[in-house]
């Protein structure tokens, strides 16, 4: 089986979904799904396999609907204010006799012979008789059999998801068990020579199998019963045997991955041997290497290996088949209109899926694209929405307003978009924001101080963290903000003084002492991206010291956060990088101080937006101060002080 | 404890909710909830008890991001098209030496000594050397440690609901277990002398305990762990002991019911002895008798006994406390604007909750109120939305546009509102509609033929079932429709000929043979409501036969459906009623034919609305015909034939 292969076809997403659905439909896969009986009170969330009809009527007897007396209506005809009538009070044990009545409470069964209730307020008890002054109509104040539910009436239709109130109705109607759709069993088979099952087995070049857990959880969330199998190595025969065995016990098989058209990719060949491959290759990004097959009348789906690709293609092809098998509609969350905060390039001929953060800024909903690598699990967890760039488009312009499919439950109005310089204290700010508000969460995009100011200017961010030294004045931030955001409707609020310096391996084995060491030919540096305050600090100090950046090996290697710098050093990928002390401490690295700098936040909220006030309150709180200072290298004296801006709109200037 | 009591207070819903929330807040009930450790891959849907930080970086090694050769960038400086450079290909086992390189595939660990990858497309292999024509920058095409997730970075914040992608991120970051909020345990205690636990124990006057199952399921749906206890009789001491015992093991106790202020209502007294009663009585309808108490620092809630009241008050008071205990936000589904199809009266001083069906008719969303009895479980299962009439209002006018809170998942656009005469075949139509469309469901309001025509005229219904005899012409339906809906944009479509007659007990013990028997003084009749076609048929036939309605006992007792008539007869509440043969057959009753009548549907859909076509297709299908005719007394010859209307808009007129 070792050979170089090609994709069978490369359909558009729409074509692939249509072909997939139609093929499964024609194979009978979506006909009546297998059912099983469950107790009604264990049926919450299950899907009915058939319409359920009442066995009993509810109520099941004629009962008094009021406290009072039960009478035979005919005995009361003619009673009036001017001509009251007396009825004999009978004890419950005595049979009815004409002209008699019984005391009844609400809910009591109507005694035999009676057919109406007269309210307690409308009678006068006089010894052994009840005096009435108005006739009763037959069945007045009687709750009659079947008033709520009549026997044989449909209680819930087929393929209905059982809710708590359905359980009440079904039990009341005399049902004890009902037929529900058996949860489809979905085999999830991780494949790959590079995969290991536990962190303990990880070595360079090995990858922890997290996809099978993610896919199994997704299957459970979509109503299936996942059967996660052990890792299978890249061996056609082993994969074939595992798929074959799974087909005997499961309703669907998901293989991850081996779905490309390379030498070691066996999935498509194996499925062609076991059944029919309908699709191999879909013109989407990420996620092109998808295999859709029908084997023994069951869907078998090969998903690509990168986590973002695997999840996206699972949503497009596994979820749809799984829901349709259970006769459940595919949820179509109403799209949110949002303005894109930055340009997105896209290739012609592929439909591109881009995950975004959403926020509502001064009444405008904006979408900030996440990093796009198919391997970035963090882009999955951080995303709040999905945009689709169609095949004919070369990309989307910054500012374009487009529909965003919301993911999960966080609303745009509940997200604070922090765009700008990265600082570890922002994570802590996010925790406090959520804790204090109950609903708000922070989404961070690390684009550096300058990028943050631009985002504020375009109303694309609520917060921008900045640390920009004005070389002319020696002052931080305020002059830059006033220059780039003149007359703006923002506040500049102090957050922290923080220690920047060289992050070096523990014990400083290369004996680095100053910035000048960075030019040593035996050292590799890791840099921060252009536009970041840390990069500007580096360039400023290199200039002061007369050091040529070209002399620094690794000056071109840019990463986006302090922690990424520290991680590069910790892993031996670099000998030094410039970053905050807290990052060095977090990973147990050494730190050579270079400068203390001022890190402030620009806040961009309308004057009546309580969210801005929340943030200032948190910055000023002792709890926040303690937690941030515990990271190391921070001084939060004066945090929350308003430095500039606001044109007097915010009352509590300190 | 036997005494007559009063409500402690009767707060508005808003006051009660505020007092409740604030009291629980002050008691510390919403402080850090108890946590437990769970395996990450068993954590789907659980709520994190603390923010979770990465243990490992992802990726955990520097890896090739492309297939090609791994090189030391310094060795490549100076390489150009005109001055290619040759690097020695080293086998993986050999240590790095300057000027050497290794073949690498995507994902391979970077060999020690190398720091860049040159793509396979950009090299020329020449024996044991690779020739390159451009310099590599350090770290090009290398996926460096922490590019996705950096150790110590926050993966998920506290009080976050774990999703499938979170599971992937947590496992990738080296977490195997995480701390989650322990599911709150909620005791659900059914109380009442009238309650029985199983249908087998039901006798007249007894009520099946369905509420405790409904409330337990609701608790589970809101993230709690229900502990449903056996029925406790109306005995203060027994209730007190059960509540006390539950407080030792549970986080919250729900008692249902005994919450009014009557002689046999012990809940408020018991809770006053065990702790502090904060609220007894809330100015809402249904649901006034609510008891909210704090006992041993835990919330104890007494809910009223009627199912609709119990569910509403559980949503208002149990759900909010349960979600807040888990630090979860209360879901606030976006309200839908809808026009009320009929007037709703409401009392001043109470906030009234009314359940409605929703439908989208010719672009307008309409809300049809359900029957309002607090005991009507069917109003819970059939409702799609909830409207609230505030305390200051005396009611809402027909046509008023107001916000409706959607319940559950059915969208207004997916509901077909059938308003008009009741027929059992409509249930079958609903099943087929759903089966054929995948998403559409039918909501029926039984208001009779005339009511149905009025609803069509006001664009408040999609379908109206009618059977109206024009005495002058002997013709059914068409003349009436043309009279009441002149020039309208509707279709009149034939559904069935059906047999109407007298439904009498099995064996016809009273020897009823004709309508004239109804005037016998020994017989009790059950009638249909005014405006229904069946009532009009009765009155027409009584007039023909010269029978005075006043002579018929029970003529005033009106019920809303054929099945309700049959249920009254089956239960002995009436000796006869007029209805369709199918209803008699469904409950095993005898039937005396009176007339065959024509039952048709008015369809009110825009010309481009596919839903109208669906219905016609179903009516014409053999499957529908067979299923309806199997009910008995139906003839579906010609079902789906268009009789009138439509102004030629529908092409496939038969």
């Amino acid at each position: 089986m070792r050979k170089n292969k090609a994709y069978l076809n490369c359909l558009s997403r729409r074509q692939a979904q249509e072909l997939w659905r139609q093929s499964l439909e024609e194979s009978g896969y979506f006909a009546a799904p297998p059912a099983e009986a469950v107790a009604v009170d264990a049926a919450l969330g299950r899907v009915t396999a058939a319409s359920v009809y009442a066995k009993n009527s509810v109520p099941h007897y004629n009962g008094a609907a009021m406290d009072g007396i039960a009478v035979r209506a005919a005995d009361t005809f003619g009673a009036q204010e001017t001509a009251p009538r007396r009825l004999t009070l009978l004890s419950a044990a005595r049979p009815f006799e004409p002209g008699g009545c019984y005391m009844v409470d609400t809910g009591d069964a109507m005694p035999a012979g009676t057919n109406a209730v007269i309210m307690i307020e409308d009678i006068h008890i006089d010894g052994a008789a009840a005096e009435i002054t108005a006739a009763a109509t037959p069945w007045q104040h009687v709750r009659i059999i079947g008033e709520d539910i009549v026997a044989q009436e449909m209680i819930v239709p087929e393929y209905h998801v059982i809710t708590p109130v359905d359980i009440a109705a079904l039990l009341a109607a005399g049902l004890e068990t009902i037929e529900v759709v058996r949860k489809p069993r979905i085999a999830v088979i991780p494949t790959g020579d590079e995969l290991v099952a536990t962190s303990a087995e990880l070595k360079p070049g090995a990858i922890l199998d997290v996809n099978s857990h993610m896919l199994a959880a997704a299957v459970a969330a979509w109503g299936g019963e996942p059967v996660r199998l052990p890792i299978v190595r890249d061996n056609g025969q082993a994969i074939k045997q595992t798929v074959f065995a799974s087909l005997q016990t499961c309703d669907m098989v998901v293989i991850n991955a081996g779905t490309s058209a390379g030498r070691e990719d066996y999935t498509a060949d194996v499925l062609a041997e076991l059944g029919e491959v309908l699709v191999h290759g879909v013109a989407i990004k990420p996620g092109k290497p998808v295999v859709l097959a029908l084997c023994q009348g069951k869907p078998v789906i090969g998903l690509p290996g990168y986590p973002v690709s695997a999840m996206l293609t699972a949503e497009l092809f596994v979820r749809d088949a799984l829901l349709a098998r259970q006769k459940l509609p595919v949820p179509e969350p109403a799209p949110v209109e949002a303005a894109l905060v930055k340009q997105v390039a896209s290739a012609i001929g592929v439909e591109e899926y881009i995950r975004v953060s959403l926020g509502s800024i001064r009444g405008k909903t904006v979408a900030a694209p996440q990093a796009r690598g198919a391997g970035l699990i963090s882009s999955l967890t951080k995303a709040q929405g999905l945009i689709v760039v169609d095949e004919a488009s070369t990309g989307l312009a910054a500012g374009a307003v487009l529909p965003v499919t919301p993911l999960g439950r966080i609303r745009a109005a509940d997200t604070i978009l922090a765009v700008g310089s990265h600082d570890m204290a922002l994570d802590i700010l996010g925790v406090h924001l959520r804790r204090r508000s109950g609903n708000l969460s922070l989404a961070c995009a690390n684009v550096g101080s300058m990028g943050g100011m631009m985002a504020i200017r375009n109303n694309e961010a609520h917060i921008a963290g900045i640390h920009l030294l004005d070389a002319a004045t020696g002052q931080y931030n305020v002059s830059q903000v006033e220059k780039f955001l003149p007359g703006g409707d923002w506040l500049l609020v102090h957050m922290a003084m923080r220690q920047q310096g060289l992050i070096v391996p523990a014990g400083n084995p290369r004996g680095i002492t100053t910035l000048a060491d960075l030019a040593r030919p035996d050292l590799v540096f890791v840099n921060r991206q252009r536009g970041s305050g840390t990069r500007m600090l580096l360039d400023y100090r290199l200039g002061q010291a007369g050091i040529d950046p070209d002399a620094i090996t690794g000056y071109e290697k840019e990463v986006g956060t302090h922690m990424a710098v520290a991680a590069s050093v910790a892993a031996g990928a670099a000998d030094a990088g410039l970053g905050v002390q807290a990052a060095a401490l977090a990973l147990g690295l050494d730190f050579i101080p270079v400068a203390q700098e001022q890190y402030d936040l620009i806040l961009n909220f309308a004057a009546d937006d309580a969210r801005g006030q929340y943030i200032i309150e948190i910055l000023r709180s002792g709890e926040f101060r303690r937690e941030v200072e515990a990271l190391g290298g921070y001084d939060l004296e004066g945090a929350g002080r308003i430095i500039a801006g606001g044109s007097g709109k915010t009352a509590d200037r300190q």
Side-chain angles (χ1 to χ4, degrees), chain A residues 186 188 210-222 224-228:
Chain A
I186 316 295
V188 177
V210 302
N211 285 3
S212 73
H213 296 271
M214 172 179 77
L215 295 169
V219 160
W222 299 330
E225 187 186 315
V227 180
R228 205 176 56 79

Side-chain angles (χ1 to χ4, degrees), chain A residues 103-428:
Chain A
M103 295 294 300
V104 286
D105 285 337
T106 303
D108 285 352
M110 293 294 288
T114 65
N115 68 354
V117 170
I118 301 176
M119 286 194 290
I120 194 84
E121 296 88 325
D122 294 340
I123 64 174
H124 174 70
I125 301 289
D126 178 13
E131 194 177 85
I132 60 170
T133 53
T137 56
W139 305 110
Q140 79 174 23
H141 304 320
V142 177
R143 193 162 183 241
I144 70 158
I145 291 175
E147 187 173 291
D148 187 359
I149 296 169
V150 178
Q152 304 304 323
E153 186 184 340
M154 189 189 296
I155 304 296
V156 286
E158 61 183 5
Y159 309 127
H160 169 86
V161 180
I162 296 292
T163 64
V165 298
D166 295 329
I167 289 175
L170 290 164
L171 291 171
L175 283 307
E176 271 154 25
T177 60
I178 55 170
E179 292 287 309
V180 297
V181 173
R182 184 168 60 63
K183 280 172 176 274
R185 285 165 62 88
I186 316 295
V188 177
I189 306 173
T191 72
D193 287 342
E194 73 286 8
L195 294 186
V196 297
T198 63
S199 289
E201 302 164 63
L202 270 183
K203 290 176 307 213
I207 293 178
L208 186 63
D209 165 36
V210 302
N211 285 3
S212 73
H213 296 271
M214 172 179 77
L215 295 169
V219 160
W222 299 330
E225 187 186 315
V227 180
R228 205 176 56 79
L229 293 166
I231 295 164
V232 180
R233 297 299 155 203
D234 286 326
N235 171 313
Q237 205 50 38
I239 295 171
K240 187 172 169 182
Q241 278 165 11
T242 308
V243 173
F244 184 82
S246 298
L247 282 168
Q248 311 318 307
T249 56
C250 292
D251 301 287
M252 188 188 305
V253 177
V254 174
I255 307 167
N256 186 230
T259 56
S260 281
R263 264 182 301 133
E264 301 276 327
D265 293 316
Y266 297 101
T267 300
D269 287 340
V270 163
L271 299 188
E273 289 174 29
L274 289 171
E276 187 192 358
V277 173
L278 303 164
V279 174
H280 185 198
V282 179
I284 53 176
K285 185 179 172 190
K288 179 183 177 190
V290 176
V291 185
L292 304 177
L294 204 50
C295 304
Q296 303 181 9
K298 294 174 178 177
V300 183
I301 303 171
L303 300 176
Y306 280 120
V308 181
S309 313
M311 194 63 202
L312 176 69
T313 49
E315 281 163 357
L316 292 175
F317 300 105
V318 177
R319 185 181 66 167
D320 284 14
L322 183 47
L323 293 177
R325 171 77 164 179
Q326 302 168 83
K327 302 280 184 180
L328 295 175
V330 175
E332 289 172 10
V336 174
E337 294 277 305
L340 206 57
V341 304
K342 66 179 183 195
Q343 174 193 323
V344 166
S346 177
I348 287 206
V350 291
E351 192 176 64
E352 191 152 3
Y353 289 77
I354 295 164
R355 285 166 203 263
V356 299
S357 293
L358 291 171
S360 170
I361 299 177
R362 297 180 187 268
K364 185 177 80 166
T365 300
V366 300
Q370 304 277 337
R372 281 200 263 174
L376 296 178
I377 301 175
S378 54
S379 74
L380 289 172
T381 57
K382 289 176 182 165
Q384 295 174 276
L386 193 63
I387 58 177
V388 182
V389 187
D390 81 29
E391 297 138 288
S393 169
T394 56
L396 304 167
V401 174
L402 41 88
V404 180
T405 304
L407 302 167
R409 307 187 317 172
I410 302 171
R411 301 180 311 158
D414 289 344
T415 303
I416 304 289
L417 285 178
V419 179
S421 167
H422 174 249
D423 189 276
M424 294 164 73
L426 290 177
D427 279 348
I428 295 174

Side-chain angles (χ1 to χ4, degrees), chain A residues 17-85:
Chain A
Q17 280 186 309
E18 266 164 31
L19 176 60
W20 183 229
R21 207 187 158 82
Q22 199 184 320
S23 303
L24 290 172
E25 185 79 55
E26 283 166 8
S27 77
Y29 190 70
F30 299 142
E36 65 185 1
V38 297
V40 166
D41 70 355
L44 181 67
R46 298 301 295 270
V47 181
T48 54
S51 302
V52 186
Y53 296 88
K55 279 173 71 176
N56 303 335
S57 293
V58 182
H60 60 101
Y61 66 97
N62 291 325
M66 291 285 177
D67 293 351
I69 54 171
V71 303
R72 187 172 72 168
D75 295 344
T76 69
F77 295 163
Q80 302 176 38
E81 285 287 348
T82 54
R85 184 160 303 190

Side-chain angles (χ1 to χ4, degrees), chain A residues 472-542:
Chain A
T473 64
Q475 210 183 18
Y476 266 92
N477 301 331
V478 65
S479 61
Q480 304 275 6
V481 171
E482 281 170 350
K483 175 172 163 199
F484 285 98
L485 301 171
D489 196 11
W490 40 262
L491 290 177
L492 180 66
V493 180
H494 179 53
M495 188 167 102
M497 299 303 291
R498 64 181 195 180
Q499 195 64 55
Q500 288 266 30
L502 290 173
I503 299 172
V504 298
N508 192 7
R510 316 301 288 270
I512 297 168
T513 55
T514 68
L515 282 179
D517 287 324
L518 300 183
R520 276 164 46 188
D522 62 322
L523 293 184
V524 175
F525 182 69
V526 58
N527 209 347
R528 286 291 305 283
Q529 82 278 19
R530 262 156 293 203
S532 70
T534 302
R535 172 70 167 266
M536 290 162 88
L537 173 67
L538 175 75
D539 291 346
Y540 176 69
R541 288 298 179 101
L542 291 178

